[in-house]
Amino acid sequence: MSQAPTTPDTPGGEHHGDPAAKATPEGSDVAERKTPRKLTRAEQRAVDAKTRLASPWASGVAIVLAILWSVPTFGLLVTSFRPEATIKTEGWWTFFSNPEVTLDNYNGVLYNPSTDFAGAFLNTVVITLPAVFIPVSLALLAAYAFAWIDFKGRGMLFVAVFALQVVPIQIALIPLLQQYVSFGLDGSLWTLWLSHSIFALPLAIFLLHNFMMDIPRSLIEAARVDGAGHVKIFFSVLLPLLVPAIASFSIFQFLWVWNDLLVALTFASPDIQPLTLKIQNLAGSRGAEWQLLSAGAFIAMVVPVVVFLALQRFFVRGLLAGGVKG
């Protein structure tokens, strides 16, 4: 048998072109360091999204939008501290050339017995908190049933619930008021709680159902194998994973109810009027005291801003949940 010829490139018959000759421990470590790990689809999407969001153009557009969005709020703040005569004769931007400041507007809103702004603030809190808790609680139960319980007509019923989102609330106000009167609920807080819950339930069920469907089915099946029933699965397995979704919808619902005027104007009696109705009435019947609107509106803004900033991290997590599925 003839032997394969060797090339005398180096002493000892070593071959520069042979990969096996270079596979020393040191060489393999260098090769591993030079070869990048292949990213998964989810990681690649995250990298692409970060690259797009971190571009100078995106940052510039975001800064411009933030400034434009903040200018009216800043103007409202400046106006709320200006004297009545200045407010009625000049624009808020003249504050920098004529910086007059007073607290008369806030005193007229907070400490005037005729406005009862403190009572309206308390009414708004009493209206808003149950109007957030009731629809979220009912929507969680309904979303769990639609997502994980098989029953006849589940698909048709879910489509019907989803279709209720397109029904304008304006056409339901008068029929609801008639029902409240027949039930003897008119003039009570229940009319506001039930109305806000009814209008919020379709969207709440839809959003929470979609979040529940993103949870791996293997978790539910593992809990069932361990002997857990629906109650145990709901409270021990699903509920901790749904905190971002619950926080996201709760923020939306809180803002909607806190800033609502139409439902309060239809159902609220004079002794349970929220802030929105009080602010509407601050200007007076002839618009003679509209300088109080800026102070009243800015006071009404404080609580929603604090709630949003406090729950912002949950809000962002809830919006991005399921956005980078592999």
Side-chain angles (χ1 to χ4, degrees):
M1 297 179 62
S2 60
Q3 295 182 349
T6 60
T7 53
D9 294 331
T10 58
E14 294 181 354
H15 302 276
H16 284 292
D18 187 5
K22 296 183 179 181
T24 60
E26 295 79 9
S28 62
D29 293 340
V30 173
E32 289 179 359
R33 287 196 297 267
K34 290 183 178 180
T35 304
R37 181 178 63 87
K38 186 177 181 180
L39 299 177
T40 63
R41 287 185 297 174
E43 292 173 339
Q44 187 61 45
R45 291 177 185 174
V47 171
D48 295 341
K50 184 178 180 180
T51 303
R52 290 193 296 268
L53 293 176
S55 65
W57 287 104
S59 301
V61 171
I63 293 174
V64 171
L65 291 177
I67 294 175
L68 294 177
W69 191 270
S70 303
V71 166
T73 305
F74 179 74
L76 182 68
L77 176 62
V78 170
T79 303
S80 66
F81 287 102
R82 306 196 76 187
E84 176 183 353
T86 307
I87 293 175
K88 293 182 177 181
T89 56
E90 300 177 0
W92 67 267
W93 49 88
T94 61
F95 170 80
F96 301 100
S97 59
N98 185 21
E100 298 181 64
V101 177
T102 181
L103 294 177
D104 292 342
N105 298 330
Y106 285 94
N107 291 331
V109 171
L110 294 175
Y111 303 110
N112 190 347
S114 62
T115 60
D116 192 22
F117 209 74
F121 190 93
L122 181 61
N123 290 338
T124 306
V125 174
V126 173
I127 292 170
T128 303
L129 294 182
V132 174
F133 178 78
I134 294 174
V136 170
S137 302
L138 296 178
L140 281 171
L141 299 176
Y144 177 82
F146 283 125
W148 302 110
I149 299 179
D150 293 327
F151 58 90
K152 187 176 181 179
R154 181 179 64 171
M156 294 294 295
L157 187 57
F158 182 75
V159 171
V161 171
F162 176 75
L164 290 175
Q165 298 182 63
V166 302
V167 178
I169 65 174
Q170 291 83 355
I171 67 175
L173 294 177
I174 300 304
L176 276 177
L177 183 59
Q178 293 174 346
Q179 291 296 322
Y180 294 148
V181 172
S182 63
F183 295 153
L185 297 176
D186 56 305
S188 67
L189 288 169
W190 280 104
T191 59
L192 298 169
W193 294 339
L194 293 176
S195 299
H196 286 300
S197 300
I198 291 170
F199 297 142
L201 270 175
L203 180 60
I205 293 173
F206 176 74
L207 292 178
L208 293 176
H209 169 269
N210 290 345
F211 279 108
M212 286 190 183
M213 293 300 294
D214 286 339
I215 296 176
R217 183 174 292 271
S218 59
L219 293 178
I220 309 300
E221 294 176 350
R224 288 174 179 170
V225 170
D226 292 339
H230 290 299
V231 176
K232 186 71 172 179
I233 293 173
F234 178 79
F235 286 101
S236 300
V237 179
L238 293 179
L239 201 57
L241 300 175
L242 292 173
V243 171
I246 296 172
S248 298
F249 180 78
S250 298
I251 292 174
F252 278 124
Q253 179 68 358
F254 185 92
L255 297 178
W256 290 334
V257 178
W258 187 275
N259 296 320
D260 168 73
L261 176 63
L262 182 60
V263 175
L265 193 63
T266 305
F267 300 113
S269 60
D271 56 335
I272 57 172
Q273 287 187 350
L275 283 173
T276 50
L277 289 181
K278 286 296 182 180
I279 293 175
Q280 181 195 27
N281 298 329
L282 279 178
S285 59
R286 298 183 180 180
E289 299 178 353
W290 64 269
Q291 76 279 356
L292 301 178
L293 287 175
S294 57
F298 200 81
I299 293 173
M301 289 171 52
V302 172
V303 173
V305 170
V306 171
V307 170
F308 180 81
L309 294 179
L311 300 177
Q312 183 181 14
R313 61 189 184 97
F314 294 106
F315 178 74
V316 175
R317 286 172 56 192
L319 290 181
L320 297 180
V324 290
K325 293 171 66 177

